[in-house]
Amino acid sequence: MRTVIRRRDVIVGLGASLLAAPAVVRAQTPTVIRVGALKLIHSIAPYFYERFVPAGFKVEVLPFETPTECKTAVVTRSVDFGNFGIAAGELGAAAGEPIVLIASTCNRGMAIIAKKDSPIHALKDLKGKRVAVFPGTTQEVFFLERLRMESMSIKDVEPVRVSFSEMHIALARGDVDAYVGAEPAPGVSLSTGIGQLVEYPYSTAMGSLNMVFGTHRDVITSKPDLVRMMLSIHQQATDYATRNKDELIALASAKLGQKKEAIEASIPNVELTWRFGPTQIEQAKVYAEHMLALKQIKRLPDFNTFIDTSFVDALRPL
């Protein structure tokens, strides 16, 4: 029978390893849990964590510009947990880094956007065009696979390295003809009339797998109770954000510095989630095979150590 984790049991079960300090000290100096998040709507759930943190603890959210930066922060123990793209995780695992995926953060959240009223309406129309792509990201792998499915390759376009936060601006200025972006940039482009949708690239065998939730292997080994508590918080915050769209939009607008209309346009293309099961594991393996074929990694990750679903499997749907 699968074990069920209750919030009360999680908090009580932390035990002496986390709550050994005297009561007075705990009240004055809470245990800080550092969580990395990207400056994208995919990573908005951590900003809801504070609602569900038990007494004696505090969550500090550290924003990162790129998935690789956030993953590296986990590897170096600069943060305790991190939200980053599956690509960054697999790049690290394939290189032997002690990164472990323990839950999901967001599916979907990607889009290929072209300039409004341009002749680019389908992937084949990108041939010879300047396309903003950020190397080493989940979006890049999805884009390359979609090109392959259309009997095209990266050589058929002119790739331009642009960070996610700059893609909409680059399109508006005319620096690029299209971009392979992450929300809320597509929502900004569509809501302002700057861009038009080419496609959501979810027709590959990788589905809509995007952002994941990970930690350092040593954290799992030395602080399993902390991992259980953190995933309980992550689950509650994710489900709360999903159920309360108005609060999600308001908080995302404030944290990301985007207008409400842009966030509203992004929401339908974002699936916040904590679940990570057999489907996601299979998609992650397919993803790794693509990365290997593209020579982005030299070997496949060891999935026996790279993914640990035992903690998320023990969570009960709220």
Side-chain angles (χ1 to χ4, degrees):
M1 181 180 294
R2 191 171 70 179
T3 303
V4 174
I5 300 294
R6 299 182 178 85
R7 262 190 298 165
R8 180 180 180 277
D9 296 334
V10 169
I11 297 170
V12 172
L14 287 172
S17 62
L18 294 176
L19 304 178
V24 174
V25 175
R26 287 202 309 272
Q28 294 177 348
T29 310
T31 298
V32 177
I33 306 171
R34 298 159 300 173
V35 179
L38 301 188
K39 298 175 183 179
L40 302 170
I41 195 170
H42 314 56
S43 282
I44 201 63
Y47 293 101
F48 286 95
Y49 286 175
E50 63 183 24
R51 292 173 173 269
F52 308 101
V53 177
F57 293 87
K58 176 183 178 181
V59 170
E60 179 183 355
V61 181
L62 285 75
F64 291 89
E65 182 69 30
T66 71
T68 301
E69 290 174 345
C70 188
K71 181 272 302 179
T72 300
V74 173
V75 172
T76 60
R77 300 293 296 272
S78 300
V79 297
D80 302 298
F81 302 91
N83 298 264
F84 45 82
I86 182 66
E90 296 200 337
L91 282 167
E97 294 177 345
I99 191 82
V100 183
L101 304 189
I102 55 176
S104 186
T105 296
C106 176
N107 295 325
R108 301 174 62 85
M110 299 176 269
I112 301 174
I113 302 292
K115 195 72 176 288
K116 182 72 172 178
D117 298 326
S118 75
I120 303 173
H121 302 286
L123 213 65
K124 59 182 177 59
D125 298 327
L126 293 174
K127 192 166 185 177
K129 304 298 184 182
R130 296 164 299 168
V131 182
V133 185
F134 196 76
T137 63
T138 304
Q139 285 75 5
E140 181 192 33
V141 176
F142 272 78
F143 180 52
L144 293 176
E145 176 59 8
R146 282 294 296 119
L147 289 175
R148 187 199 66 78
M149 292 169 65
E150 298 293 331
S151 300
M152 297 171 65
S153 75
I154 196 65
K155 295 180 180 179
D156 289 307
V157 304
E158 183 183 337
V160 182
R161 183 189 178 102
V162 181
S163 65
F164 290 133
S165 62
E166 295 293 322
M167 287 184 177
H168 167 71
I169 297 172
L171 185 71
R173 284 196 306 242
D175 296 342
V176 296
D177 302 300
Y179 67 77
V180 184
E183 299 290 0
V188 174
S189 296
L190 295 175
S191 65
T192 57
I194 296 295
Q196 62 187 23
L197 178 67
V198 178
E199 70 167 56
Y200 295 123
Y202 308 135
S203 60
T204 77
M206 296 175 286
S208 59
L209 181 66
N210 193 342
M211 284 191 63
V212 291
F213 189 89
T215 190
H216 193 288
R217 191 171 297 132
D218 289 349
V219 174
I220 292 177
T221 302
S222 63
K223 300 179 180 179
D225 290 330
L226 178 65
V227 176
R228 293 186 185 95
M229 185 185 74
M230 190 66 245
L231 280 188
S232 176
I233 294 170
H234 180 60
Q235 176 198 25
Q236 294 173 79
T238 300
D239 286 352
Y240 181 88
T242 300
R243 291 193 303 266
N244 295 273
K245 296 293 185 182
D246 289 343
E247 288 187 52
L248 170 61
I249 291 170
L251 187 58
S253 180
K255 294 297 181 181
L256 301 177
Q258 300 292 349
K259 293 182 178 180
K260 177 182 177 182
E261 294 77 13
I263 300 300
E264 288 175 333
S266 300
I267 292 296
N269 188 33
V270 174
E271 179 192 359
L272 299 180
T273 180
W274 49 269
R275 296 172 176 82
F276 202 94
T279 298
Q280 290 73 33
I281 292 174
E282 182 58 32
Q283 290 172 342
K285 290 180 177 179
V286 172
Y287 193 97
E289 292 284 356
H290 284 307
M291 295 185 76
L292 184 64
L294 293 167
K295 298 182 179 180
Q296 294 180 331
I297 55 177
K298 294 182 179 179
R299 61 178 180 272
L300 294 174
D302 179 356
F303 282 93
N304 292 321
T305 58
F306 174 46
I307 297 177
D308 184 347
T309 63
S310 62
F311 296 98
V312 77
D313 288 343
L315 292 173
R316 179 179 60 183
L318 301 175

